[in-house]
Amino acid sequence: MSKILIIADHQDGRLNPAVAKCVAAAAAIDGAQIDIAVLAEDPASVAGEAAKLEGVARVLAVSNPANAQPIAQVQAPQIAKLADGYSHVFGPSTTFGKDLMPCVAALLGVAQVSDVMSVESSHVFTRPIYAGNAIVTVEAPAGQTVVATIRAASWQAVGNGGSAAVETASVDAELPTHTRYVELRQGKSDRPDLASAPRVVSGGRGVGSKENFEVIYKLADRLNAAVGASRAAVDAGYVPNELQVGQTGKIIAPELYVAVGISGAIQHLTGIKDAGTIVAINKDADAAIFEVADIGLVGDLFKILPELEAALD
């Protein structure tokens, strides 16, 4: 039997939806017993939320003032201690997980398996390479703890019908003092979160300017969608970099993805390959985005978008 510990990604007392997708990946391993560890200053609310995830046996709540902020170098020694007796330690491929899990792997003296897309067996997984152009099968050494990050876009989240026990856990680990929390800077928006939104409208270089990007925001608001952007649009200063979709931005899997004025560079397509329906709007009929689009509209976006909004009325 595989004993799997999932590290909860959370912020402001809310569990990141990617954790439910980690549970789905863990459940794909035959005979898995799945526990979730919540490290926080006060883990009660997040632990309660995690306990509702289907397939979870236990939630370990680790309360420590040092965990008030998710600092990888502070949490990794605690997780390495918690990992004793577990065959696998999973974390989401979010900013949190990508920062934390390599530290955990280093402390456990094992190599990390990154961006798990599917589970072949308890120690065999698939993951993307070459910006998603190829999928490789990797096998973790038997007899060692498997530390992995889970590519959230490749998994369907489990439901909330669980009722796991929440247990208080104490960890005796020496915490480093060379890393400290200073401040958190992040953009504020009333729009849906780009990483988890079921609908996303993204703009590219073809939008033309920061001022013109307003047409993207308007359509997104009509669809109750999150707003994204290509790297070209971000580099041109149209939008902040937290909206970037692609290999060097966010990897997303919305039900609907609307790409407006985006040519379809491979780095961008990597970020949307798991989207349900892709709609492309571009005046260049030969744009690469049309090769992956389910629906393509060739024309001037500044004429097509008002027509779409009128149709929505």
Side-chain angles (χ1 to χ4, degrees):
M1 183 179 71
S2 298
K3 289 190 63 178
I4 303 174
L5 181 65
I6 295 173
I7 310 305
D9 181 356
H10 58 91
Q11 185 175 346
D12 298 330
R14 298 296 303 274
L15 193 67
N16 190 307
V19 177
K21 298 185 177 186
C22 285
V23 175
I29 297 176
D30 290 339
Q33 176 188 313
I34 305 169
D35 295 345
I36 295 180
V38 178
L39 282 71
E41 183 174 20
D42 180 5
S45 62
V46 177
E49 194 174 348
K52 296 177 183 178
L53 297 178
E54 293 178 357
V56 176
R58 292 189 306 164
V59 176
L60 305 178
V62 181
S63 177
N64 190 326
N67 295 329
Q69 304 298 333
I71 302 173
Q73 289 72 20
V74 172
Q75 294 195 355
Q78 300 173 71
I79 294 166
K81 291 282 188 179
L82 284 173
D84 185 33
Y86 286 93
S87 58
H88 299 67
V89 182
F90 286 174
S93 282
T94 56
T95 301
F96 166 84
K98 290 177 180 179
D99 187 32
L100 173 65
M101 300 310 289
C103 298
V104 174
L107 290 174
L108 294 176
V110 300
Q112 176 181 293
V113 181
S114 301
D115 278 343
V116 169
M117 296 180 67
S118 70
V119 172
E120 304 297 316
S121 69
S122 63
H123 286 70
V124 180
F125 312 92
T126 64
R127 65 175 302 269
I129 58 173
Y130 302 131
N133 284 312
I135 308 300
V136 65
T137 300
V138 296
E139 182 173 0
Q144 293 184 0
T145 304
V146 178
V147 177
T149 57
I150 306 301
R151 184 183 174 98
S154 299
W155 298 89
Q156 290 293 325
V158 299
N160 288 318
S163 56
V166 177
E167 300 180 7
T168 300
S170 59
V171 181
D172 183 17
E174 183 177 349
L175 304 184
T177 57
H178 64 277
T179 303
R180 64 187 177 88
Y181 174 80
V182 177
E183 64 175 329
L184 173 65
R185 296 183 183 181
Q186 61 179 351
K188 296 292 185 180
S189 175
D190 294 329
R191 292 185 171 87
D193 177 57
L194 176 59
S196 58
R199 294 177 294 277
V200 175
V201 178
S202 282
R205 189 196 305 273
V207 176
S209 69
K210 181 177 181 179
E211 291 71 27
N212 288 348
F213 217 86
E214 186 61 32
V215 299
I216 304 298
Y217 290 121
K218 287 177 63 179
L219 179 60
D221 288 343
R222 294 299 303 275
L223 295 174
N224 191 28
V227 173
S230 67
R231 178 170 180 173
V234 171
D235 287 348
Y238 299 171
V239 291
N241 59 13
E242 60 260 30
L243 298 187
Q244 184 174 322
V245 173
Q247 182 184 6
T248 53
K250 289 182 171 65
I251 308 295
I252 59 175
E255 298 169 8
L256 172 66
Y257 185 77
V258 183
V260 182
I262 295 175
S263 62
I266 187 61
Q267 292 86 354
H268 186 79
L269 299 183
T270 296
I272 62 169
K273 65 183 296 295
D274 294 305
T277 299
I278 299 175
V279 177
I281 301 171
N282 201 298
K283 65 181 180 182
D284 179 7
D286 296 322
I289 191 71
F290 288 122
E291 297 178 10
V292 300
D294 299 285
I295 301 171
L297 296 173
V298 179
D300 186 343
L301 68 91
F302 296 106
K303 293 181 179 178
I304 292 176
L305 292 192
E307 293 174 358
L308 281 177
E309 289 187 39
L312 290 172
D313 288 336

